[in-house]
Amino acid sequence: MTVIHIDYSPVHELVTSLFAYQDRKNQLHDLGNKWRKQMEKHLSDSFDARLDQLQFCDHISFLHLLILDSPAKHEIDAYLNWMAELGEGELYERLSPYLEEGPGMSIGLKAFRDGSVDVLREWQQACHISDHILGSLQRSAARVEELSRTLSYPDLIDAATSGVVLDLEEELEFILLIPTYHIKPLNRIDIMNDKQLVVSYAVDDEQMNEDTPTSQMLRMIKSLADEKRLILLHILAAGPVTFTELQQKTKLSKSNLHYHLSLLKTAGLLRMHLKKQGERYKYSARPESFDSLRDMLESYVFGLNRDK
């Protein structure tokens, strides 16, 4: 039986925000390079080198799994103090279920512990995570927790990530779902030894007032305002289809096709079907997203929620 954890913690978001900072090649994060440059003003000259030495992006899932079972995870300073005091034996005991037969850790446990505490302490001083963001993440975790009582885990992941579908050959033993803000509208998925799954799923901005359209609605509308993307959705309605098949049908270059698929993906208008870590996705249209867009448009334009 698959064990599912939906875990909210400000420490999870601290870790994910640092990933968003280091993920410079990806231009799809809403916060973008302007935010990164603002963060750089508050960091030491050696920070990026220490982050690279830690191989932070390769070890982020181990951090999330350590946070999950920490008694101090609800307060960042308390958590970092707790992690700093963890002995190597206890650290191994906590992480051994994920290290065995999995991708492993490319640095020693002591280097992982000390390096993580070091960069996270400095990052905490640079990156303030507002109570508003943390509140929205906590509310999202509660909503997904409610969904988990009625949905199968593939449907739950599809709902939380707005379109990631797991077509795995073997049933998973363990799933960790973490709501996150700083990498929105993207999700991060790590499959560990084909049995455990760590998913950081994007939580979009909440609507501040009835006169302002949501980021989600704007993203969906903009992604539809292009002939090539409409053609792609027309093809994907009969999916799932591989990237190569899409390229053959559309005659688009690889870079152009990647660009259009990325916009459709971040808008939640398509599904990405994954069989195993490292394998190429297949794609299909996501019909329910069109129903959601219609409802959002009707509510916003015609004011269906306004007092009469």
Side-chain angles (χ1 to χ4, degrees), residues 80-272:
L80 293 175
N81 290 336
W82 172 84
M83 186 176 178
E85 294 172 1
L86 271 182
E88 289 183 67
E90 184 180 356
L91 187 56
Y92 176 77
E93 186 177 340
R94 287 176 176 272
L95 292 178
S96 60
Y98 317 107
L99 291 168
E100 295 171 358
E101 301 179 7
M105 193 176 288
S106 54
I107 60 175
L109 287 173
K110 184 178 185 300
F112 166 73
R113 179 198 63 200
D114 295 347
S116 297
V117 171
D118 173 48
V119 297
L120 287 172
R121 283 198 193 281
E122 182 169 347
W123 180 248
Q124 178 197 12
Q125 299 304 312
C127 181
H128 173 69
I129 304 173
S130 70
D131 290 340
H132 173 73
I133 289 173
L134 294 176
S136 68
L137 298 180
Q138 194 166 19
R139 287 187 289 275
S140 175
R143 288 192 294 269
V144 174
E145 183 73 49
E146 186 69 27
L147 287 174
S148 71
R149 296 169 189 168
T150 56
L151 295 180
S152 65
Y153 75 73
D155 288 341
L156 182 67
I157 292 169
D158 183 6
T161 61
S162 297
V164 174
V165 177
L166 299 177
D167 293 331
L168 302 178
E169 297 176 357
E170 296 184 12
E171 187 170 348
L172 291 167
E173 293 179 357
F174 171 89
I175 298 172
L176 174 58
L177 282 166
I178 305 163
T180 184
Y181 175 85
H182 281 79
I183 61 171
K184 71 180 181 70
L186 304 178
N187 306 290
R188 179 183 168 95
I189 300 174
D190 290 299
I191 299 178
M192 309 179 75
N193 62 36
D194 295 327
K195 296 177 182 178
Q196 291 114 5
L197 183 73
V198 178
V199 180
S200 297
Y201 70 89
V203 175
D204 226 323
D205 295 300
E206 297 176 329
Q207 188 166 13
M208 299 301 293
N209 62 71
E210 63 182 18
D211 294 322
T212 304
T214 63
S215 298
Q216 180 187 9
M217 184 171 71
L218 289 174
R219 201 177 288 119
M220 295 172 83
I221 292 171
K222 289 176 181 178
S223 68
L224 291 171
D226 183 275
E227 181 182 1
K228 294 183 180 67
R229 292 195 285 276
L230 286 174
I231 292 171
L232 280 171
L233 287 170
H234 175 73
I235 296 169
L236 293 171
V241 182
T242 67
F243 184 91
T244 301
E245 290 169 337
L246 278 174
Q247 194 178 13
Q248 290 171 348
K249 289 176 181 290
T250 61
K251 310 303 181 186
L252 293 171
S253 67
K254 287 185 178 180
S255 59
N256 206 355
L257 182 54
H258 272 299
Y259 170 74
H260 290 299
L261 286 174
S262 295
L263 292 180
L264 291 171
K265 175 181 67 176
T266 55
L269 292 169
L270 57 77
R271 282 193 167 93
M272 304 190 320

Side-chain angles (χ1 to χ4, degrees), residues 23-70:
D23 192 25
R24 295 173 181 273
K25 292 181 180 179
N26 200 322
Q27 300 299 309
L28 292 174
H29 298 297
D30 278 359
L31 293 174
N33 287 327
K34 183 178 180 180
W35 170 77
R36 292 189 187 96
K37 289 179 180 178
Q38 186 65 33
M39 293 300 102
E40 284 175 352
K41 297 177 182 178
H42 305 285
L43 297 168
S44 64
D45 293 341
S46 66
F47 184 79
D48 284 1
R50 284 149 48 212
L51 202 57
D52 290 338
Q53 187 176 15
L54 178 61
Q55 300 174 48
F56 179 79
C57 287
D58 293 335
H59 298 138
I60 188 171
S61 291
F62 294 114
L63 278 169
H64 285 308
L65 291 163
L66 199 59
I67 294 164
L68 172 65
D69 291 324
S70 170

